[in-house]
Structure formats: structure tokens, C-alpha cells
Amino acid sequence: MPPRVVAVDPVLGPLTCDALTKDFEVFQRAKGHRFSVDDVATAYVAFQALGGIPPKDALDLGCGLGSVLLHLAWKWPETRFVGVEAQELSFALVTKNLAHNQLPESRVRAFYGDLRDRAVYAEAVPAGGFALITGTPPYFPPDTAVDALDSQRAYARIEYRGGVEAYIEAAGHLLAEDGIFVLCGDARATPRVAKAAEEFRLCIHEETGIVAREGKPALFAVWTLRRNTLNAARPSARALVIRDAHGERAQEDRPSGLVAEENHREGGAEASEEPSGGQERRFGDSKTITNREALVPREEEKRRRLTGRHEE
């Protein structure tokens, strides 16, 4: 079933208005780039990485229409958020979504420009840097994917303005010494992430593979990075499984319907099933878990991700 159009914008075209959390909604282009499980997983891993404790300031690099930014703003009303986005249609949407959810600039502020140009958002960088930075860069280098005809989709999917390296470089300059950087990308990009992290005084603390169905390889990964002076140990790894081997939603009472199938390399420690703190705003309250199209990529969407092809 196609998404239900609620408005037609003269610039953005047909729009849907979709539940992101229990209280927040987002406008999305019906035929453009739309939020999915990678955004939900990035927000969830960021929340867990901080033990549910709200940071004073947080930055979302390449914030798109605002799905990660808004997820975390819903979880942490006390935090001041900053987003930066260079794609004009996505920036128009994040601006619209912040206004729609009644989030003033004193709480969440979005800047229009390339994240590699730190002068664009320099005025919003706190002294000492951000305690939390998130980023969901495109997955495909330009020479490995077929172009999307829609410009918003193309820039969300293909590394025209840089990939994980560009995001890591920005975070390397902006992260507080004791801060956490949560980055989402192609599960095969771990060597790229590790190499770029080393160049900018960062290292991988944990790698979370997101598995669409139990027994299948990870569709993508979420890396938690810290300053390399704080983390000398070998990074740990785990998997979050969305559906079990029978295709059933995997214990959807867990946050965002993502099951923590822990597989730590170090000591076999098991993480808590629920994020610490803030239980009145659990990720499990997110309506995303009831939206199969948003949370669980369809077979066609998985094919598109793996081949780089997008039907228009």
C-alpha cells in the first residue's frame, strides 16, 4: 500500500505525515527519501551508549529530514540539539518538522550547509565540544551505485559529499574529549571507519550489526566511537535482530522492536534488555515498531540497498 498523502507542497511535492515516536510526527516526501530502521537504530544505540543520561549538547551530522535528531530530542527534552544538512529538500523538511513538533531554536537548531564546512555551524559548537555526535552517511561510493533520478534520494544514498570518512573528520574536530560519536553505515565499511578514526584521534569502541532476520548477515552497522586516549581495549561487537528465523517480529517488547542478541567478543558480557533511565520515554513507545515498512526493510528495499539500484 502506498503511503497516504496528506498535503502537496509546491516545492517538496506530495507529503505524508508519519508517526516517529509516541508524540512526534514527521513530514516526508511520498516519493523521496524516507526514514527507516537505520535512523531508529542509530538513535537507540546513541541512547544506550550514554546509559540514558542526557548530554548537555548533541550534534547530528547530515540530519536529513530530522528523524535521528527528533528521536533523541523526544528522549532527552533537557538536551540542546544541533543539526546540519546540505540537501535543500531535506533541509526544508527538517525545518518543517521542527516547527510541526513545536521545537524552538533554543532546543533544536538546524543549519543549512555542508557538514565538511564547519564554519556553517561554528556558532553553535559549545566550548569543549559536543558530548554526543550522531551521523548516518550515505552507503555507496559514487562509482559503485546507480544514480537515483530524485536528487534527495541520490544524496541520501550516494557519497557525493563524502562518506564515513567525512563524518569522522567532522566529529574528530567537534567531539568533546570524553564524548561519544555514533555512526551508521554499510556493514562492510568497518575497515574504512577504523582507518579514518585513527587519523582523527578516535577509535571504534563497539560495533552493532543490524540483522533484518535471524541467521542472515547484517544489513548495516552502527559504530560507537570514542577518543583513542580513552579506549585501548579491543572493540566489542553485538547484533540487533529485527525478525526471528520464522519471520516473526523478534520480541517487539524490546526497544524499537530491535532484539539485543549479544555477541560480545570481550568477556561475553550481556547488555541490559532496556536502555537505562528515562523509562517514561522508552524507545518501545515509538510507533515505528508498528510500521513494518519503516522498521523492517522489504525484500525489494534490501535488494536496492545491496545493488544500489532505485526505481523511480
Side-chain angles (χ1 to χ4, degrees):
M1 180 181 296
R4 186 171 67 89
V5 173
V6 297
V8 178
D9 184 273
V11 175
L12 298 170
L15 298 177
T16 65
C17 186
D18 305 288
L20 181 70
T21 73
K22 182 179 179 181
D23 307 301
F24 285 177
E25 300 173 328
V26 290
F27 286 101
Q28 307 185 89
R29 296 174 65 231
K31 297 183 179 180
H33 177 68
R34 299 173 66 80
F35 82 86
S36 189
V37 65
D38 44 4
D39 302 312
V40 180
T42 300
Y44 171 55
V45 170
F47 182 83
Q48 276 201 323
L50 288 174
I53 301 171
K56 182 177 180 182
D57 299 278
L59 168 67
D60 188 26
L61 296 167
C63 64
L65 59 87
S67 47
V68 175
L69 198 66
L70 285 164
H71 245 121
L72 291 172
W74 177 71
K75 289 294 297 179
W76 287 321
E78 310 93 333
T79 300
R80 183 186 71 100
F81 288 91
V82 177
V84 57
E85 175 56 49
Q87 208 289 322
E88 59 182 353
L89 298 179
S90 292
F91 181 76
L93 282 169
V94 69
T95 302
K96 186 179 184 71
N97 288 331
L98 293 179
H100 178 69
N101 291 289
Q102 301 179 7
L103 292 169
E105 283 195 355
S106 59
R107 274 202 63 200
V108 185
R109 189 174 179 187
F111 289 84
Y112 178 51
D114 194 320
L115 63 87
R116 295 171 295 180
D117 182 4
R118 295 188 297 279
V120 168
Y121 48 101
E123 65 184 84
V125 178
F130 290 95
L132 173 67
I133 299 177
T134 54
T136 52
Y139 285 12
F140 301 105
D143 58 349
T144 65
V146 178
D147 244 344
L149 298 180
D150 182 87
S151 62
Q152 187 200 21
R153 281 181 173 176
Y155 275 95
R157 191 164 55 86
I158 302 175
E159 299 173 354
Y160 292 129
R161 295 190 179 97
V164 293
E165 294 85 358
Y167 282 65
I168 290 170
E169 179 177 357
H173 289 284
L174 298 168
L175 189 68
E177 287 302 309
D178 59 350
I180 292 174
F181 175 36
V182 177
L183 179 71
C184 178
D186 188 335
R188 300 166 295 184
T190 298
R192 292 174 58 187
V193 172
K195 182 178 179 180
E198 184 177 3
E199 183 177 353
F200 295 101
R201 296 198 306 117
L202 299 168
C203 65
I204 300 173
H205 174 71
E206 183 176 70
E207 178 178 342
T208 302
I210 309 301
V211 178
R213 186 161 177 164
E214 185 180 356
K216 300 292 185 180
L219 283 176
F220 59 92
V222 182
W223 300 275
T224 303
L225 293 89
R226 300 176 186 267
R227 291 294 181 192
N228 54 19
T229 54
L230 299 178
N231 190 65
R234 185 181 177 187
S236 61
R238 64 173 179 166
L240 293 180
V241 181
I242 300 169
R243 292 199 177 257
D244 64 22
H246 304 289
E248 299 297 324
R249 191 173 288 126
Q251 296 185 35
E252 68 177 65
D253 58 311
R254 298 227 185 155
S256 293
L258 299 175
V259 173
E261 184 188 78
E262 302 300 330
N263 184 27
H264 288 272
R265 297 193 185 111
E266 294 297 315
E270 291 189 359
S272 168
E273 293 186 355
E274 297 286 353
S276 303
Q279 294 303 316
E280 73 282 357
R281 287 175 176 261
R282 293 170 48 202
F283 275 90
D285 289 333
S286 171
K287 292 182 181 177
T288 307
I289 66 171
T290 66
N291 184 344
R292 185 178 186 277
E293 181 181 358
L295 183 63
V296 183
R298 295 165 295 178
E299 292 302 317
E300 177 64 16
E301 182 59 24
K302 287 190 286 185
R303 183 188 69 80
R304 291 173 183 173
R305 284 184 182 277
L306 294 174
T307 65
R309 298 180 182 275
H310 234 303
E311 296 178 5
E312 301 301 329

